[in-house]
Amino acid sequence: SNGNFITANAPSDSNAGPLTNFLEATTTTQTASIIIPNFTTFALNVPLQVRTGGVVTASVSALYLPKLATMSGGQITGTNTVNLVGDLMVDQNSTINPTTFLWGVDSPSHRTTVRASKRLDLTPNSIVRGGNPQEYRGHIVLETGATLNVNLGNSDSWTMAGNLEMGLGSSVTGDSIVNTGEVSGNGFVNVNRFENSGHVNPGRVFGGLRMNSTQYVQTPSGMLDVALGSSTFGNGSGLLQAGTAQLAGTLALSLVSGFNPTLGTEYDILTANSISGQFGNVL
C-alpha cells in the first residue's frame, strides 16, 4: 500500500484457497460479499471466483482485476469502476452491473467465455472509461445455448470491435450492436438493430445466424461472408435471417472444400420480411 493503492496477494499457505471465504456463499455461512473501503483503487492480484450468492461491491473505491475472473453464479456491482484486465469466464448464470465496467480495457487479446446454457447479464452504465463508442475489442465465445445480455444504461448500442463466436442455440440480447469486427457461427441475435461495418460469417447448420426481429443494416464497409456447401444438419448454405435488411458493401461467396454444386442450383443466403438496397460488390 502507498496510501492510494492496495494489493491483495495469494496466501502463502499452499493449502489455502484464493480468498474463497470472501467470495462465496455456502450452506453453512451467510451470503458473502466484499465491500471495497476507503482506497482510491483496490487491486485483487489473484484469480477471482464469485459463486452463487457471492457479491463483490466496488463503492467508495475502484476495483482492479488483473487476473482471471470466474463468475459462478454471483454478482459484481457497485457505484464505482471495476477494471477487468484479466479474462472473464462465466460458468453459472451471473450478473455484472457496477456503474462502470471496463470490459477488457480495450485489449484485443481479452477473452470472454460463456459456458454452454449459461447466461451473463452485463448491465452497467458503461463498458468504457468515458465517452463513446461503448466498445469491446476482445474475443467472445458463446458456447451451445449460452446467452449474453448487454444492456447499458448510458447507451442504446454497443460496438463489437473484436470477435464474437456463437455456438448452436446461443443468443445475444439487449442493446443494438454495431459490428466493426467479426460475428460468426449459429445462433440468435435478438436486438433492435444490427449494423454490420465489419465481417459477418453465418454458420451452415440450423439456420446460421437468426436475427428474426432485427433490422440488419450493412454499410459500404461491411461484408457478408457465405460459405456454400452440404451440411450434416441439412442446410446447404450459410444463412442469415433478419426482420428487415438494408444492403450495401460486399457479399463474399465461397465453396466448402470438395463441394461442387450442380449448375442451376439456387441457394437462399439471406431472408427477411423486406430487403432494400443491394451489395456493392460480389466476390
Side-chain angles (χ1 to χ4, degrees), residues 77-124:
T77 189
T79 56
N80 214 315
T81 298
V82 175
N83 185 344
L84 180 64
V85 175
D87 289 346
L88 175 61
M89 174 68 68
V90 180
D91 57 21
Q92 296 293 336
N93 297 346
S94 302
T95 299
I96 298 177
N97 63 347
T99 298
T100 302
F101 180 66
L102 303 184
W103 187 15
V105 200
D106 296 333
S107 172
S109 63
H110 190 267
R111 190 173 182 89
T112 297
T113 303
V114 183
R115 292 294 192 194
S117 302
K118 306 308 177 186
R119 178 186 176 101
L120 173 63
D121 284 298
L122 185 59
T123 57

Side-chain angles (χ1 to χ4, degrees), residues 6 12 26 35 37 40 47 67 80 92 117 131 153 181 203 217 246 257 272 279 281:
I6 188 167
S12 58
T26 69
I35 305 298
T40 301
K67 305 293 185 181
N80 214 315
Q92 296 293 336
S117 302
V217 178
Q246 180 180 324
S257 177
F279 296 110
N281 301 287

Side-chain angles (χ1 to χ4, degrees), residues 196-210:
N196 180 30
S197 295
H199 191 177
V200 169
N201 185 5
R204 294 185 300 109
V205 295
F206 295 129
L209 290 173
R210 283 172 278 185

Side-chain angles (χ1 to χ4, degrees), residues 102-165:
L102 303 184
W103 187 15
V105 200
D106 296 333
S107 172
S109 63
H110 190 267
R111 190 173 182 89
T112 297
T113 303
V114 183
R115 292 294 192 194
S117 302
K118 306 308 177 186
R119 178 186 176 101
L120 173 63
D121 284 298
L122 185 59
T123 57
N125 281 342
S126 177
I127 56 173
V128 294
R129 195 174 296 276
N132 286 311
Q134 300 278 12
E135 186 174 71
Y136 178 73
R137 297 184 181 180
H139 189 110
I140 302 172
V141 176
L142 301 182
E143 295 184 353
T144 302
T147 298
L148 173 64
N149 175 40
V150 180
N151 197 331
L152 308 179
N154 286 346
S155 178
D156 59 3
S157 68
W158 63 285
T159 299
M160 179 66 247
N163 295 278
L164 170 58
E165 182 181 337

